[in-house]
């Protein structure tokens, strides 16, 4: 509809006269395809992460044992402690039993100066404390790596490992 002076009356007519193009169906279709791709990628990635978890923990166990052998350390990891994933909490690392010992080992990443450093901490099964107050970096030169990590940061990680709320997640005690 138009007035006598050919001025558009409705909002649709005014928008068309102003040069707006309406492609709502095309826009919705493009967004739907885009969202579908993202959802598909997330589903595939989440499925791969979930279904390869046991393989990843086994490979981690083998890798840590190889590093310990290279460092000429007599300790060896034996098996993963099951039951560490709880809903509402993310696991902070992987817990393993030590061969020929009652102690447990936490394999985790320590972050220092924006760099992730793979580490392990041996936790006594009797006391729930980190043995010798030591965290062992799983690098080719652990002594040099330890010198670069501030002692306060190491103490913070040790306190987290020894905290009762952390050990109640089934990690420090079976």
């Amino acid at each position: 509809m138009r007035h006598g002076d050919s001025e558009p009356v409705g909002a649709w007519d005014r928008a068309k006269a102003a040069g707006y193009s309406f492609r709502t169906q095309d826009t919705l279709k493009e967004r739907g395809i885009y969202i579908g791709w993202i959802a598909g990628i997330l589903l595939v990635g989440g499925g791969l992460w979930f279904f390869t978890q046991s393989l990843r923990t086994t490979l981690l166990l083998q890798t840590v044992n190889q590093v310990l052998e290279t460092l000429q350390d007599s300790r060896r990891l034996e098996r993963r402690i099951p039951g560490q994933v709880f809903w509402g909490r993310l696991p902070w690392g992987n817990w393993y039993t030590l061969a020929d010992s009652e102690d447990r080992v936490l394999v985790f990443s320590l972050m220092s100066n924006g760099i992730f450093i793979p580490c392990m901490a041996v936790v006594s099964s009797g006391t729930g404390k980190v043995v010798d107050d030591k965290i062992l970096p799983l690098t080719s030169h652990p002594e040099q790596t330890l010198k670069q990590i501030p002692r306060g940061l190491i103490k913070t990680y040790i306190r987290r490992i020894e905290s009762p709320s952390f050990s109640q997640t089934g990690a420090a005690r079976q």
Side-chain angles (χ1 to χ4, degrees), residues 42-58:
L42 289 175
L43 282 173
V44 168
L48 284 172
W49 178 82
F50 180 77
F51 290 114
T52 61
Q53 189 170 6
S54 63
L55 174 66
R56 288 182 289 119
T57 56
T58 303

Side-chain angles (χ1 to χ4, degrees), residues 27 34 84 156:
T27 304
Y34 182 69
Q84 69 180 5
T156 301

Side-chain angles (χ1 to χ4, degrees), residues 7-152:
E7 191 175 307
V9 175
W12 180 264
D13 291 333
R14 281 192 298 259
K16 266 187 155 178
Y20 293 112
S21 71
F22 291 93
R23 300 180 311 164
T24 56
Q25 288 181 344
D26 291 342
T27 304
L28 287 175
K29 186 177 178 181
E30 289 173 8
R31 287 183 184 168
I33 291 171
Y34 182 69
I35 290 170
W37 269 102
I38 291 174
I41 289 170
L42 289 175
L43 282 173
V44 168
L48 284 172
W49 178 82
F50 180 77
F51 290 114
T52 61
Q53 189 170 6
S54 63
L55 174 66
R56 288 182 289 119
T57 56
T58 303
L59 289 174
L60 180 63
L61 179 136
Q62 292 172 352
T63 304
V64 170
N65 282 338
Q66 287 174 355
V67 169
L68 290 173
E69 187 176 326
T70 303
L71 296 174
Q72 297 175 349
D73 193 330
S74 62
R75 296 176 287 200
R76 296 291 179 265
L77 303 184
E78 191 172 44
R79 63 178 174 85
R80 181 175 175 259
I81 298 175
Q84 69 180 5
V85 178
F86 292 91
W87 299 113
R89 263 185 213 205
L90 293 175
W92 191 50
N94 289 309
W95 287 91
Y96 295 94
T97 58
L98 263 178
D100 302 326
S101 176
E102 291 291 319
D103 295 342
R104 282 137 181 73
V105 174
L106 173 65
V107 178
F108 63 100
S109 291
L110 183 143
M111 187 169 184
S112 177
N113 297 326
I115 299 170
F116 289 103
I117 302 167
C119 296
M120 74 178 240
V122 179
V123 179
S124 171
S125 62
T127 62
K129 303 284 184 191
V130 175
V131 175
D132 298 330
D133 277 342
K134 252 171 109 176
I135 290 178
L136 176 67
L138 298 170
T139 58
S140 56
H141 303 289
E143 296 84 19
Q144 293 171 349
T145 306
L146 269 177
K147 289 178 187 174
Q148 296 172 356
I149 301 171
R151 185 67 189 155

